[in-house]
Amino acid sequence: MSKIVVLVACLHFVYTLTLAQTQHTLQGVVVNDREEPLPGASVVLLPVQKGTATDESGRFLFHHLQSGRYIIQISFLGYESLTDTIILKDDLTYHAKMNPLPLNLQEVVVTDHYAETRKKESTLNIEVVNDDYLKQYMGGSLMKSLERLPGISTIDIGSGQSKPVIRGLGFNRVVVVENNIKHEAQQWGADHGLEIDQYAIDNVEVIKGPASLMYGSDAIGGVIDMKSRKVPVNNTIGGTVDLTEKSNNDFLGTSVSLYGRKNWFFANFRATILDYADYKVPPDSVDIYSYRAALYKNNLRNTAGEEHDFHLTVGILQKHFQNRLHISSVNSKSGFFANAHGLEPRNVDTELHDRSSRDVNYPYQKVNHFKVTNTGQYTKERLKVETDLGFQHNFRQEWSQYVNHGYMPAIFPDTLNFDPDLEREFDKYIYSGNLKLTHTWNKEMSLTMGINSEYQDNRIGGRGFIIPAYNLFSIGGYAIAKRTISEKSILQFGLRYDYGHLTTGEYYDWFPSPVIANGDTTMQYLSRAAAIDRTFSNLSWSAGYNYNPGNWSFKANIGKSYRMPIPKELAANGVNYHHFSYEVGDPDLSPEISYQLDAGIEYTSNRLALGTSPFLNYFTNYIYLNPSSEHDRLYGNGNQVFYYTESEVFRYGAEIHAHYKLFKNLQAGIIGEYVYSEQLTGGKKGFTLPFSPPASAIFNIKYQKHQLKFAENVYGSIDYKITAAQNNIVPPEEPTDGYQVVDAALGGDIKPGKQILNLSIQVKNIFDTKYFNHTSYYRLINVPEPGRNVIINLSIPFSVSNNSLRRYGD
Amino acid sequence: MKYLRKLLIVTFVILTVVACGDDEDPDKEKPIIDISIEDAFPTNCDTIYFGETFELKLLFTDNEELGSFSIDIHNNFDHHSHSTEVTECNPGANKEPINPFAFIESFSIPDGLTIYETNQLITIPAGNNDGLYDDGDYHFFIRVTDKAGWSTYKGLSIKMFHKQTAQ
């Protein structure tokens, strides 16, 4: 190891000697109007696309610059951005004085060009959005707000819960990461959403494509990576009040954040309360199979819910060291559509359910997600060390009236230790630890090495058996080399090894079933799951290349990703009464392996931006719940048997996006996505994969103006979304017709007096169109998507001025 | 530009090859349960008597090949369980089950059939060790699959009585 370091250091020395004469250094300092340094200001140099942030004393430095003309852009929140042209003939020192904006508000974004930089440097296709985007396109949940991004769709359960789907892959094939720790809940289940408070998110990166290399098992379809990157301005105390109202489900949301920073210490607190009523659909009845359920006032009975969340971040910023401790608790209770629990149609007590649209009766679910994570970062010269520690507790319950399905006793025995109405309970504890080292030898070569480890302890309860209790230990180590060949091209290669050890518990029914043997019938407690003890290992890799000549950007990446089979796939052996399915696992399944070739082409000029990101993907063994033609009496209680099986799968697709500036303030754009999947082997040869999103395109017109009378950063936008029919289906899905929906958005910063108010208004489904979403959980029982919805979000930032705090602090 | 053109050509060729493969379309049709045939039994609101045998008479059809079927009879005393039929059958008053009847059986369908008429004789016992079964509202649930794994359900509301108590 040390030899390599010496070798590279020597090479670097030679390199420096040979090139030093022809290249220059640009250094500088960024100060405010009182000549006080501004640490953390973003400095970007164009057209070379170099970016940095100023250090503690407000200084920045760019090495190895050719002679020539450069544009320097400096930005710092609360100050007017500065753009200047510099001609570099020799080493230069630049003094940047920033003018403050009238009111010193909001928080600091570490670099403004983060998204562009990330996109240019990553060899995978990624989308980066910040909290402004989330506000402009806010939906019922974080994933709903991200759904507009090309290649992203969701699996929805009612109005407040959705799961991420990236290019048609979801559930355990998408990894969600918050502050470097993998978010772990019951991702396999179709009937609950992601336990993330969207108000608390300031930056989301979506990696489209397999990313096992960095994220380990499960990142086979993609990654949703959320990082808290904001740091308050020094010597400030402030906050934001967010008020949200949605007309369709009478949603009321309040989120209050408070932040403060004194030199090296900062803290951030947030509390969010959401409360929503049943959501409305355009028709006044839905046909569940041939059973017609009338809907009172178009309300989807019992889909109301509530959520309350708390977050606390405490951070330390030192010259070489940064540490952030995050504590959060996300708690929700939400009802399931009362006329169908899962796919099962039911008669309901309409008097009870229609008494109030805000109450939550049976059936409902309750989820608590508690999380403590600590991320530390130590930087010394060319070495960066990052450590992450995490603890999560996910507790989820499903409550519904006791129904004696199959051989369950008609009268619930009083000898059991659980409530008859508790249908399912999952109690999961997750401990995570990561270590990451990045060594940058010189501007050409850097190496990142890391270890991710995790331990999961999952307990089960309730009357229904769907997955066994289990313990899972997993650890993975990786190394990624990044070589910058020239200013314009970057080569990356990485290798990873993972190991996992899974033990599942055995399970016996709590009620006896009639076992018929040799003509005699005996009542026996059936064994549903035997204990399983398995180890998995895998080697994954990835290689990518970026080439960014001028206005163009090309990228290509090829990689192998993997996913360990989950306990449900290995050990399921019970009836899922939500789906009328008897699901049978296969304890011998091997880890799922996927190979993917990704490409990306982008063109950006002042007026026009366009890009496409095609991909080809091959699974050697996609693990899939295959509905068979069999029924089973004893274990399956007369239900159709679904077997977990493996099949070869080939997929391809692409996203496109383009926007063109028609006039100074008006731009037209298009976003499109398409995925095709086909099973090449197995019982469903020739079929697609479940939940395949149909092709879709959004045509957009957006008006933006920096200053319009008393308002700033004004925007108005219209989205016309066309979605094709999805006839490429697999049992038990239904074909879904195509549809067209129009959404509009309007917003900006208004300043009555000195106070800034950020207002964003959206009208979704303006024409109250009745349409079905192929990937909605309720699609199979013909529940259409929500009708017209007016969403209003008002953000009120406030701050305590610097002077009063200084006096207070000194 | 050269890169772009090459990439586009390669992508186009691959997509063409994939799209114009030799595949025939997979089966996308569900089997059908027909309870409108002559002598169909049971149909919605029919009565089945305890201690007697009835002949199951339903017609299943599929475009390619039928798979198997199952029958599930369970009580509906609380009127909270499922039915796929529009009509209700004058349900009796809600009541607590004492000794409710339950029946689950799965049946195979001979290979290669696209039409199958059931003729199974099903005997309903009058009671078990705990005594006679409860009279009242029951659900008769039929599930049919085809070979491709498509399935169709039908939930019928029926009455079950002991003959001497039937009105």
Side-chain angles (χ1 to χ4, degrees), chain A residues 293-419:
Chain A
L295 301 179
Y296 176 70
K297 290 185 178 171
N298 304 68
N299 284 340
L300 210 59
R301 229 165 250 127
N302 202 46
T303 53
E306 59 182 46
E307 184 173 324
H308 28 96
D309 310 327
F310 301 95
H311 301 263
L312 177 69
T313 301
V314 178
I316 293 169
L317 294 175
Q318 299 281 21
K319 191 173 180 190
H320 297 298
F321 178 69
Q322 283 191 20
N323 193 76
R324 288 167 206 238
L325 175 73
H326 303 275
I327 302 170
S328 68
S329 169
V330 173
N331 310 284
S332 71
K333 179 183 175 185
S334 56
F336 290 110
F337 177 38
N339 291 81
H341 187 24
L343 306 182
E344 179 189 24
R346 276 159 184 266
N347 296 323
V348 295
D349 182 347
T350 47
E351 204 170 309
L352 169 78
H353 280 101
D354 296 338
R355 192 176 52 211
S356 161
S357 62
R358 292 204 93 85
D359 59 355
V360 177
N361 295 302
Y362 281 165
Y364 71 81
Q365 59 178 326
K366 256 181 93 162
V367 186
N368 310 103
H369 197 98
F370 176 73
K371 197 187 267 190
V372 182
T373 58
N374 190 78
T375 61
Q377 187 181 315
Y378 175 80
T379 323
K380 189 78 191 274
E381 288 158 10
R382 296 173 182 279
L383 183 71
K384 189 159 113 180
V385 182
E386 291 164 87
T387 59
D388 313 303
L389 289 170
F391 167 74
Q392 296 172 77
H393 178 210
N394 183 278
F395 184 68
R396 174 165 183 269
Q397 287 184 323
E398 265 180 54
W399 291 84
S400 64
Q401 194 190 37
Y402 175 66
V403 176
N404 59 317
H405 282 298
Y407 295 114
M408 292 179 196
I411 304 151
F412 190 80
D414 52 10
T415 51
L416 293 166
N417 59 356
F418 60 89
D419 192 307

Side-chain angles (χ1 to χ4, degrees), chain A residues 233-267:
Chain A
V233 181
N234 198 5
N235 289 319
T236 53
I237 289 183
T240 314
V241 178
D242 272 284
L243 302 170
T244 310
E245 200 272 339
K246 297 176 193 170
S247 66
N248 180 284
N249 58 351
D250 293 327
F251 174 105
L252 293 169
T254 306
S255 187
V256 179
S257 80
L258 285 172
Y259 62 80
R261 176 170 164 198
K262 182 74 187 166
N263 300 327
W264 53 267
F265 177 81
F266 72 94

Side-chain angles (χ1 to χ4, degrees), chain A residues 25-295:
Chain A
T25 299
L26 171 67
Q27 56 174 318
V29 62
V30 179
V31 297
N32 66 9
D33 53 325
R34 288 175 297 196
E35 296 288 334
E36 293 165 345
L38 294 175
S42 146
V43 185
V44 175
L45 211 54
L46 298 169
V48 288
Q49 294 283 359
K50 283 191 170 191
T52 185
T54 53
D55 66 10
E56 274 220 318
S57 48
R59 293 188 178 279
F60 66 89
L61 183 64
F62 291 104
H63 282 300
H64 312 307
L65 295 171
Q66 311 278 355
S67 301
R69 215 172 122 100
Y70 292 90
I71 293 166
I72 189 166
Q73 289 178 342
I74 302 170
S75 50
F76 192 79
L77 228 132
Y79 291 83
E80 280 171 15
S81 293
L82 189 150
T83 305
D84 198 3
T85 306
I86 31 180
I87 292 161
L88 206 63
K89 290 183 201 144
D90 214 333
D91 287 358
L92 186 75
T93 303
Y94 189 84
H95 186 86
K97 191 167 174 175
M98 307 284 281
N99 289 319
L101 286 166
L103 195 62
N104 196 2
L105 278 178
Q106 293 279 7
E107 301 165 68
V108 173
V109 181
V110 180
T111 65
D112 257 357
H113 299 269
Y114 181 76
E116 284 73 13
T117 313
R118 278 292 284 136
K119 280 184 143 179
K120 284 227 155 134
E121 286 192 349
S122 168
T123 58
L124 282 166
N125 284 301
I126 63 172
E127 301 284 342
V128 185
V129 301
N130 60 16
D131 46 351
D132 288 340
Y133 182 93
L134 292 179
K135 261 177 202 148
Q136 285 188 22
Y137 296 106
M138 180 182 273
S141 59
L142 175 69
M143 284 320 302
K144 246 2 217 177
S145 310
L146 295 176
E147 199 186 15
R148 193 175 175 276
L149 296 174
I152 313 302
S153 53
T154 60
I155 292 173
D156 305 327
I157 313 94
S159 64
Q161 308 266 327
S162 5
K163 306 179 86 70
V165 176
I166 299 177
R167 290 171 165 172
L169 298 181
F171 300 99
N172 281 67
R173 293 187 183 87
V174 169
V175 165
V176 176
V177 177
E178 191 180 18
N179 296 316
N180 302 338
I181 297 288
K182 188 174 165 193
H183 184 83
E184 273 292 343
Q186 306 291 345
Q187 298 97 305
W188 52 266
D191 45 8
H192 71 112
L194 190 58
E195 303 86 350
I196 300 280
D197 175 6
Q198 64 171 328
Y199 292 95
I201 303 302
D202 63 53
N203 179 67
V204 186
E205 270 178 58
V206 181
I207 301 177
K208 295 185 280 188
S212 279
L213 179 64
M214 286 289 285
Y215 298 90
S217 172
D218 297 9
I220 204 160
V223 180
I224 310 280
D225 192 348
M226 296 165 286
K227 284 190 181 82
S228 302
R229 293 169 12 86
K230 285 186 169 179
V231 177
V233 181
N234 198 5
N235 289 319
T236 53
I237 289 183
T240 314
V241 178
D242 272 284
L243 302 170
T244 310
E245 200 272 339
K246 297 176 193 170
S247 66
N248 180 284
N249 58 351
D250 293 327
F251 174 105
L252 293 169
T254 306
S255 187
V256 179
S257 80
L258 285 172
Y259 62 80
R261 176 170 164 198
K262 182 74 187 166
N263 300 327
W264 53 267
F265 177 81
F266 72 94
N268 200 326
F269 172 79
R270 179 179 290 276
T272 302
I273 298 177
L274 314 175
D275 192 287
Y276 51 94
D278 299 345
Y279 74 97
K280 292 181 192 70
V281 292
D284 57 8
S285 67
V286 292
D287 291 331
I288 307 165
Y289 306 108
S290 53
Y291 176 79
R292 174 161 295 183
L295 301 179

Side-chain angles (χ1 to χ4, degrees), chain A residues 290 344-345 629 631 638 684 734, chain B residues 30 68 70 82 84 143 145 148-149:
Chain A
S290 53
E344 179 189 24
S629 63
H631 288 90
K684 291 291 174 289
E734 297 271 348
Chain B
K30 292 181 176 184
S68 66
S70 81
H82 37 254
T84 60
R143 301 174 173 91
T145 55

